[in-house]
C-alpha cells in the first residue's frame, strides 16, 4: 500500500484568512548558542491543510479530540471535478455521482484543481485562490447528510462559495472593494439565479448547516491530490490532526492509500 500526501505546505508565507492573524515563526534557541534549535509559532487554526471540527460553529459542538478515530481513516473517494470548475463555479452532488460511486459513511475529497493557485502551487495567485474559488451548491448539504458523511474536504480555502463568505458579502467595503468585484463577477456568471443560489440564509452554509450534524470538513487540500492514479476511484483516505483537546480546528495531514 502506497501513501500519497494530500496536504499543502505551511509556513509564514501561506496566505491567512482575511482578518485572521497570520502564521508567525521564529527561533527561540539556536544550535551555536544553546546547543539545540527550537522554534516558537503563533497562528490561527485556519491556515494550511486543516480540519474544522463542529465546535468551530457550534457552541457545544464536538472538538478535535472528540472525533472518533474510525471517522478519520477509512474507505472513500477523490472526485476529479476539474473539467467543470472555473472561477466562482459551483459543484453539485450530480457532478460527483456522475464520476464515481460514493457510499454511505465515505471520506470524500473534491479535487477542483484550485490548489494550483495556492501559495506553493504551480500557478500561485493569492487573490484568485481566496476570492474566486468554486464552492458548494445548496443541494450539497442534504446530500452529504443523506450519505452519512462525517469527513469531506476540498483543495480550496473554504468549502463555501465566495458569495456565501465575507469575501462576497462584505469584505473590502471602503478598502479595495473585494466583495463588489466578486458580486459583479457572480452576477455576470449566474444572472437571475443569484438569489436562488446565494440567499441571505445561506451565509457560510456548509459550516452552519452541517456542523450541528457532525459533518465536518478539511480545507486547503493539495500535495499529490492530482496524481492520476487517485482520480475517481475508491481508495483509503486518512485525516490526521493533532490531538487538540478542546480544539475547534487543527492542522492535519491528509493522506490517500492505494
Amino acid at each position: 500500500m502506497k501513501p500519497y500526501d494530500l496536504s499543502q505546505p505551511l509556513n509564514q508565507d501561506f496566505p491567512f484568512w482575511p482578518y485572521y492573524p497570520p502564521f508567525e515563526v521564529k527561533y527561540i534557541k539556536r544550535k551555536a548558542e544553546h546547543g539545540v534549535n527550537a522554534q516558537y509559532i503563533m497562528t490561527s487554526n485556519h491556515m494550511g491543510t486543516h480540519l474544522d471540527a463542529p465546535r468551530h460553529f457550534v457552541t457545544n459542538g464536538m472538538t478535535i479530540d472528540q472525533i472518533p478515530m474510525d471517522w478519520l481513516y477509512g474507505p472513500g473517494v477523490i472526485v476529479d471535478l476539474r473539467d467543470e470548475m472555473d472561477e466562482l463555479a459551483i459543484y453539485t452532488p450530480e457532478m460527483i455521482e456522475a464520476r464515481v460511486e460514493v457510499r454511505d459513511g465515505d471520506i470524500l475529497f473534491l479535487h477542483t484543481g484550485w490548489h494550483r493557485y495556492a501559495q506553493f502551487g504551480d500557478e500561485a495567485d493569492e487573490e484568485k485562490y481566496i476570492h474566486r474559488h468554486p464552492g458548494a451548491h445548496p443541494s450539497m448539504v442534504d446530500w452529504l447528510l443523506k450519505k452519512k458523511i462525517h469527513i469531506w474536504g476540498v483543495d480550496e480555502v473554504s468549502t463555501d462559495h465566495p458569495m456565501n463568505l465575507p469575501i462576497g458579502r462584505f469584505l473590502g467595503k471602503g478598502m479595495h472593494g473585494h466583495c463588489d468585484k466578486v458580486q459583479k463577477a457572480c452576477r455576470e456568471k449566474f444572472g437571475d439565479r443569484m438569489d436562488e443560489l446565494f440567499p441571505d440564509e445561506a451565509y457560510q452554509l456548509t459550516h452552519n448547516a452541517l456542523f450541528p450534524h457532525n459533518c465536518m470538513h478539511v480545507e486547503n487540500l493539495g500535495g499529490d491530490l492530482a496524481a492520476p492514479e487517485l482520480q475517481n476511484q475508491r481508495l483509503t483516505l486518512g485525516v490526521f490532526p493533532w490531538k487538540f483537546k478542546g480544539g475547534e480546528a487543527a492542522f492535519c495531514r491528509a493522506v490517500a492509500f492505494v
Side-chain angles (χ1 to χ4, degrees):
M1 185 174 284
K2 179 180 177 180
Y4 292 78
D5 190 350
L6 310 180
S7 313
Q8 292 189 33
L10 174 61
N11 67 6
Q12 71 280 354
D13 294 327
F14 198 90
F16 48 94
W17 189 254
Y19 295 136
Y20 279 41
F23 184 99
E24 299 180 51
V25 58
K26 62 183 179 182
Y27 279 94
I28 55 173
K29 290 188 176 182
R30 294 304 297 252
K31 176 70 174 175
E33 182 179 0
H34 304 101
V36 62
N37 287 318
Q39 293 172 315
Y40 170 89
I41 65 170
M42 183 165 61
T43 181
S44 81
N45 292 324
H46 300 276
M47 294 184 64
T49 305
H50 66 277
L51 173 64
D52 284 351
R55 179 64 63 89
H56 186 31
F57 270 66
V58 180
T59 300
N60 292 316
M62 182 184 295
T63 56
I64 288 292
D65 57 304
Q66 295 171 335
I67 301 172
M69 287 294 292
D70 58 359
W71 291 5
L72 297 171
Y73 175 86
V77 292
I78 295 174
V79 188
D80 186 359
L81 299 173
R82 285 175 291 179
D83 61 319
E84 296 197 65
M85 294 294 105
D86 56 5
E87 290 191 4
L88 299 167
I90 291 176
Y91 49 80
T92 68
E94 291 76 18
M95 291 178 186
I96 295 168
E97 292 188 316
R99 289 164 169 78
V100 67
E101 178 191 11
V102 180
R103 299 175 185 170
D104 288 0
D106 272 348
I107 296 175
L108 171 68
F109 288 165
L110 303 183
H111 178 200
T112 70
W114 225 251
H115 64 282
R116 69 185 184 274
Y117 302 120
Q119 181 66 39
F120 303 109
D122 295 335
E123 303 175 49
D125 184 333
E126 182 174 329
E127 287 185 309
K128 187 168 185 172
Y129 187 68
I130 294 177
H131 296 183
R132 302 191 296 277
H133 60 84
H137 186 275
S139 61
M140 285 292 296
V141 170
D142 287 341
W143 181 79
L144 287 164
L145 294 177
K146 181 181 177 182
K147 287 290 183 180
K148 301 180 177 62
I149 288 174
H150 288 295
I151 305 285
W152 66 297
V154 296
D155 58 337
E156 305 166 329
V157 71
S158 178
T159 53
D160 276 313
H161 191 277
M163 272 304 302
N164 287 335
L165 292 168
I167 197 68
R169 299 273 181 136
F170 56 79
L171 185 69
K173 287 287 189 185
M175 296 168 58
H176 299 293
H178 299 313
C179 60
D180 296 328
K181 296 174 185 175
V182 171
Q183 290 174 16
K184 181 176 184 293
C186 283
R187 292 198 179 278
E188 292 172 353
K189 186 177 185 71
F190 300 111
D192 294 339
R193 299 176 63 207
M194 283 284 287
D195 291 339
E196 168 197 344
L197 292 172
F198 313 113
D200 289 344
E201 61 270 22
Y203 181 65
Q204 296 193 324
L205 177 67
T206 59
H207 295 70
N208 281 312
L210 293 174
F211 286 168
H213 302 282
N214 289 331
C215 179
M216 60 203 85
H217 56 243
V218 182
E219 293 167 329
N220 296 317
L221 290 168
D224 297 326
L225 189 67
E229 58 270 33
L230 302 181
Q231 310 307 307
N232 299 332
Q233 67 164 322
R234 299 197 57 77
L235 34 68
T236 301
L237 296 173
V239 178
F240 306 111
W242 57 293
K243 195 171 184 178
F244 184 8
K245 188 171 179 60
E248 48 85 23
F251 303 137
C252 68
R253 203 69 174 261
V255 184
F257 300 90
V258 179

